[in-house]
Amino acid sequence: MLGLTLKLPVWQAPMAGVSTPELTAAASNAGVLGSIGAGYLSDEKTEEFIRRVKQLTTADFAVNLFVPEEGEASAEQVQAARQLLAPYHKELKAEESLSFGSSAFNEQLAVVLQERVRVCSFTFGLPPKRALEQLKERGIITVGTATTVEEAVACEQAGVDAVVAQGCEAGGHRGSFQPPESMIGLMALLPQVVQEVSIPVIAAGGIMNGQGIAAALCLGASAAQLGTAFLVTEESGAHPLHKEAILAADEKEAVLTKAFSGKTARGISNQFIQDMQGHEEVFLPYPLQNTLTQSMRKQAGKQNNKEYMSLWSGQGTRLSKRQTADELVARLLEETDAALLAANRSVQNIKRTSR
């Protein structure tokens, strides 16, 4: 699919903030497509990350970029949001972020073009037409992200080579970019996207094991993208308390919130999420709210205080396992083969009994 040589049609999700070169390379070396979540990196850090991955693997890997979003808020709205967060900054001794920085998208794109990464994916919107043209000129595979059929069609019309269909079960921020925001589950979304577009579709959202991969393939996906399953591996850069929270959680604890970033994201419930319920009208739009809570989240991590960290996770928490990326991929390969064989046997049994 797309000219990629993989042992298993699986993509490791690009998880901005917890991606490490070791995780990306380990996934690619194991036979799936490793991905770099470059959304919050500078162009210098993006280049450094890519070159480190190249030192660790000769296999294909992807880089994911955030299409820039310009959040707008009045001085009064910013002040109200700061007042709401002030007690948390004080408790954690976190310096308040006073500067809302600009996107490094164009500079990061220049790095991807320079490094000729095999795959470049996009989240939170459609990349500029010229960006896609430049990537294609260098033979780089382009991938969009969609949470509705309409977004998937828009991705295809924009000219990307493939699209990730992301169900509401997914952890962290989803790639929504056309209002109103939708909460369609993957099982409903995937076959409809497959029906409406002609480009390869990668299924994402709540997939944690081989049975989920097999189900996605049976529904027409060309590959499955897994995030949370890789987030808890040894190579992941997620905070140890973040990993433990997922490993110990049940599916009811993976809730939706805008409290940390101003954009809907799914994570393990904690004190901050609970405290912020009922204050949604005060949150700033993304990425402004994300900037305001950044130092708080960072200090919480340093202090090993999971109650004020963004513990992003999908809904498949009970299926998470503590293991290396290589062990995860080996297990996924066995489970996927077994699930597809079992499905085939079931079909054959139905055929025999119906004769």
Side-chain angles (χ1 to χ4, degrees), residues 29-80:
N29 284 331
V32 302
L33 184 70
S35 299
I36 298 172
Y40 299 126
L41 301 179
S42 66
D43 53 323
E44 293 87 357
K45 290 295 183 182
T46 301
E47 181 178 32
E48 181 182 316
F49 201 125
I50 291 172
R51 292 188 175 181
R52 176 56 180 159
V53 173
K54 287 182 174 180
Q55 291 176 348
L56 297 172
T57 185
T58 58
D60 292 334
F61 61 90
V63 173
N64 177 261
L65 303 181
F66 289 174
V67 176
E69 295 180 271
E70 299 298 331
E72 295 183 357
S74 67
E76 291 78 13
Q77 290 172 312
V78 173
Q79 182 60 25

Side-chain angles (χ1 to χ4, degrees), residues 106-127:
N106 290 327
E107 293 78 10
Q108 288 180 305
L109 178 65
V111 170
V112 172
L113 293 168
Q114 167 193 295
E115 296 297 323
R116 293 182 180 269
V117 177
R118 188 73 178 97
V119 179
C120 183
S121 64
F122 300 93
T123 302
F124 303 151
L126 301 174

Side-chain angles (χ1 to χ4, degrees), residues 95-112:
E95 293 186 7
E96 184 179 341
S97 301
L98 299 176
S99 175
F100 299 112
S102 59
S103 169
F105 177 83
N106 290 327
E107 293 78 10
Q108 288 180 305
L109 178 65
V111 170
V112 172

Side-chain angles (χ1 to χ4, degrees), residues 134-312:
Q134 289 176 311
L135 291 164
K136 290 175 180 292
E137 287 169 2
R138 287 164 175 76
I140 298 173
I141 297 166
T142 58
V143 183
T145 305
T147 61
T148 64
V149 173
E150 289 78 10
E151 288 180 347
V153 170
C155 285
E156 180 176 37
Q157 291 176 342
V160 297
D161 298 308
V163 63
V164 174
Q166 194 175 37
C168 67
E169 306 92 335
H173 300 98
R174 295 190 307 138
S176 304
F177 61 90
Q178 288 184 349
E181 187 176 27
S182 172
M183 287 295 156
I184 304 174
L186 182 61
M187 289 288 285
L189 176 64
L190 177 57
Q192 295 182 80
V193 171
V194 170
Q195 174 182 281
E196 297 298 327
V197 303
S198 59
I199 56 178
V201 179
I202 296 86
I207 302 174
M208 296 287 290
N209 58 19
Q211 289 89 337
I213 295 167
L217 296 177
C218 289
L219 287 173
S222 296
Q225 180 170 282
L226 283 66
T228 305
F230 281 99
L231 189 151
V232 296
T233 61
E234 291 182 13
E235 294 88 351
S236 162
H239 193 287
L241 289 180
H242 187 172
K243 296 180 182 181
E244 289 300 325
I246 294 172
L247 291 164
D250 64 39
E251 69 286 353
K252 299 186 297 296
E253 296 176 72
V255 300
L256 295 171
T257 183
K258 289 186 177 181
F260 288 107
S261 68
K263 182 188 288 289
T264 302
R266 188 180 295 282
I268 303 302
S269 181
N270 59 11
Q271 190 63 53
F272 184 70
I273 291 176
Q274 294 165 22
D275 287 352
M276 290 297 105
Q277 292 178 4
H279 297 283
E280 287 80 6
E281 73 283 354
V282 184
F283 302 161
L284 298 181
Y286 179 90
L288 305 183
Q289 181 79 6
N290 193 66
T291 300
L292 284 187
T293 66
Q294 185 175 30
S295 61
M296 179 194 81
R297 290 178 279 123
K298 187 174 181 179
Q299 281 296 102
K302 289 181 178 179
Q303 297 172 23
N304 291 318
N305 187 341
K306 70 177 182 179
E307 297 304 326
Y308 303 103
M309 295 165 55
S310 50
L311 308 170
W312 301 142

Side-chain angles (χ1 to χ4, degrees), residues 1 11 146 331 352:
M1 190 266 290
W11 294 15
R331 180 172 62 81
R352 282 196 293 270

